[in-house]
Amino acid sequence: MILDTGADLSISPEVAKKLQLSLASAGETGGVGEKTVPLQSTHIRELSFGPVHLTNLEANVIRTADSTHVFGKIPVDGFLGLEVFPALRGPSRLRSS
């Protein structure tokens, strides 16, 4: 998984199949590379990584096969996007005067 500040939560079709998630067609979107790719949507009941635990998330399902042109030879299972950033933020270190 890649943490991407410009992405929505997305997983590859292979991950969705492995997790036996239900998919719904949602049209097309820009892929990791230059081409458009089919877009599907799914619901993820729970997502945990490190100390972060999120529930009831909507996610995109997109092919990531073209990601090698951008990220190299390591396969990409998906993108942790904007939905996870509030959970990553710790207590504010700023104080009002």
Side-chain angles (χ1 to χ4, degrees), residues 4-61:
D4 187 341
T5 59
D8 293 320
L9 177 61
S10 303
I11 59 173
S12 70
E14 295 80 12
V15 169
K17 182 177 180 180
K18 188 174 187 177
L19 297 175
Q20 300 179 347
L21 298 173
S22 297
L23 305 178
S25 179
E28 291 187 335
T29 189
V32 176
E34 299 175 2
K35 300 178 183 177
T36 60
V37 294
L39 175 67
Q40 295 176 297
S41 63
T42 192
H43 179 81
I44 297 176
R45 187 176 41 189
E46 293 182 67
L47 173 66
S48 296
F49 56 97
V52 177
H53 181 80
L54 304 168
T55 58
N56 297 320
L57 299 167
E58 296 301 316
N60 294 325
V61 179

Side-chain angles (χ1 to χ4, degrees), residues 1-3 9-11 15 47 75-80:
M1 299 293 284
I2 292 178
L3 187 60
L9 177 61
S10 303
I11 59 173
V15 169
L47 173 66
V76 176
D77 289 331
F79 304 93
L80 299 172

